[in-house]
Amino acid sequence: MLNVFTLANGRLFQEEIESLEELARFKPIWVDLEDPTPEERRWVKQHFGLSIPEDAMDEDIEESARFFEEDNGELHVRSDFLIDDEDNPRAVRVAFILNENNDQLKSRGVLFSIHDEDVPVFRLLRMRARRMPGLIENAKDVLLMLFDADAEYCADTLEDIYDDLEKVSRQVLAGEVTDNKAGEALAAIARHEDMSGRIRRNVMDTRRAVSFMMRSRLLSAEQFEDARQILRDLDSLDGHTAFLFDKINFLMDATVGFININQNKIIKIFSVASVALLPPTLIASVYGMNFQYMPELAQEWGYPYALALMVLSALGPMLYFRKRGWLK
């Protein structure tokens, strides 16, 4: 899908392009290619003179491969954007290309973004730019606002994680925790730990991208201050993620502790039962001896007497354990 965004009366308007002729009608500040086809790549190359690298969305993590400037003045930024999907949380790699120096290309002043699937941050920016006139004035503003929206999206996701952890905390610390509840709590804690780690990585990646833009010296004074504010917001998220990791570790230890307590209760019951059955076992062993002269063997009441003796010998330890509180 190929979408172009133009500015009109301070607002960002979106147009979906289906041919090269339609593309030539607009003067966009942002061209967004979502899972582009070879034909759409060809349109961009013919109209703007921009060749999209085949490895634009590779998983390289070296800074030299993700943030660089071409000899023709094109600025390349590859950054990850978070998708908070409960079933499949993931990060989407987005490649940005921005030309602010080369007047010989039609791509000057246009931001190009290439990615494989739609990103929530992009939808958020499109909605805001339509409703808030003056939010965006040029292509550099689009890129900065995307990073700003990404920081906000991460903050909202962290708040959701904290709210869910509060529910888990109340469930774990409320009192009796069964093995089933403990298993559910551990699964929830593991999901939130994974998402918190993804957020921390995403924050680090966004910080690197914003820092690269500041070093590129393409930003105006106002945009440079906006970039500094984005970095401050990202720094505040580091403290929040550290707090969440501490809470996750505490809940993990508490849940595992309750599981151990439940297991100890089971082991205690087996231990008590084993001790309580030792006297009856001793009595049964005595009357199982093959001696010729045993007083009770010749009596009619010998068998019920032995049974009653075994029952009483088992009840005695059980009553003692109950009095000591060992059966609770």
Side-chain angles (χ1 to χ4, degrees):
M1 182 182 299
L2 177 59
N3 294 304
V4 299
F5 297 85
T6 58
L7 275 179
N9 298 323
R11 287 185 170 90
L12 199 64
F13 289 91
Q14 177 179 351
E15 297 288 345
E16 187 172 334
I17 302 300
E18 297 183 357
S19 67
L20 179 59
E21 291 73 18
E22 288 186 11
L23 182 61
R25 288 169 42 206
F26 299 99
K27 292 184 178 180
I29 66 167
W30 179 19
V31 176
D32 183 46
L33 297 96
E34 179 185 336
D35 193 18
T37 64
E39 187 179 22
E40 290 170 342
R41 289 172 178 258
R42 179 173 55 82
W43 296 344
V44 170
K45 183 176 182 180
Q46 288 183 1
H47 182 69
F48 294 103
L50 178 72
S51 296
I52 300 175
E54 293 296 332
D55 61 346
M57 289 168 287
D58 281 357
E59 295 297 324
D60 295 330
I61 61 173
E62 295 83 0
E63 186 168 359
S64 60
R66 299 183 64 175
F67 313 105
F68 60 92
E69 185 173 358
E70 292 280 11
D71 295 336
N72 61 2
E74 291 177 353
L75 198 68
H76 290 251
V77 177
R78 301 179 186 181
S79 186
D80 295 334
F81 287 82
L82 187 69
I83 295 182
D84 181 18
D85 187 342
E86 184 176 354
D87 297 328
N88 182 27
R90 59 196 181 278
V92 175
R93 173 67 51 82
V94 181
F96 296 103
I97 303 175
L98 177 63
N99 172 23
E100 285 290 329
N101 296 324
N102 195 338
D103 295 329
Q104 298 177 356
L105 299 177
K106 289 184 179 180
S107 61
R108 187 180 188 279
V110 182
L111 174 68
F112 296 87
S113 56
I114 307 97
H115 48 100
D116 290 330
E117 58 181 303
D118 194 18
V119 182
V121 170
F122 284 44
R123 296 196 300 268
L124 177 62
L125 178 64
R126 294 196 295 263
M127 179 184 66
R128 287 181 175 176
R130 284 196 302 266
R131 295 180 179 179
M132 301 172 60
L135 179 66
I136 291 175
E137 296 181 357
N138 53 45
K140 291 179 291 184
D141 282 338
V142 174
L143 187 52
L144 281 177
M145 290 300 101
L146 284 173
F147 290 136
D148 182 60
D150 187 41
E152 184 176 346
Y153 183 80
C154 289
D156 292 340
T157 306
L158 286 174
E159 291 178 359
D160 292 339
I161 292 175
Y162 179 80
D163 292 339
D164 290 342
L165 286 177
E166 281 294 296
K167 297 177 184 178
V168 175
S169 178
R170 288 192 294 269
Q171 179 182 357
V172 171
L173 303 179
E176 293 293 330
V177 179
T178 64
D179 289 344
N180 289 335
K181 290 183 178 180
E184 294 174 359
L186 285 176
I189 292 171
R191 287 196 304 269
H192 296 320
E193 193 278 338
D194 176 69
M195 180 56 70
S196 297
R198 292 177 183 274
I199 292 175
R200 174 167 285 187
R201 181 185 181 279
N202 192 76
V203 167
M204 178 188 69
D205 181 81
T206 304
R207 181 186 291 112
R208 292 169 63 189
V210 175
S211 299
F212 173 73
M213 288 192 65
M214 296 174 69
R215 294 195 304 270
S216 65
R217 300 181 180 179
L218 293 177
L219 303 179
S220 64
E222 183 178 355
Q223 290 170 337
F224 192 86
E225 184 57 34
D226 290 340
R228 288 171 59 89
Q229 182 59 49
I230 294 173
L231 290 181
R232 286 192 289 267
D233 292 341
L234 294 173
D235 290 339
S236 67
L237 293 182
D238 282 338
H240 200 167
T241 53
F243 164 74
L244 285 181
F245 275 120
D246 290 340
K247 188 175 184 65
I248 287 171
N249 290 332
F250 166 74
L251 289 176
M252 182 74 73
D253 293 340
T255 305
V256 172
F258 279 115
I259 293 176
N260 291 334
I261 291 174
N262 292 340
Q263 291 177 344
N264 290 337
K265 287 180 180 179
I266 296 173
I267 294 174
K268 183 174 68 175
I269 291 174
F270 280 111
S271 299
V272 168
S274 300
V275 173
L277 293 176
L278 283 177
T281 303
L282 176 62
I283 295 173
S285 300
V286 170
Y287 284 99
M289 296 178 182
N290 294 321
F291 292 113
Q292 182 177 359
Y293 300 104
M294 294 185 70
E296 294 83 0
L297 292 181
Q299 304 295 330
E300 294 182 359
W301 48 265
Y303 178 64
Y305 168 76
L307 291 180
L309 189 61
M310 285 189 285
V311 171
L312 291 175
S313 65
L315 289 176
M318 294 295 290
L319 293 175
Y320 175 76
F321 294 150
R322 182 176 180 181
K323 184 177 180 181
R324 295 296 300 269
W326 293 352
L327 296 179
K328 295 181 179 180

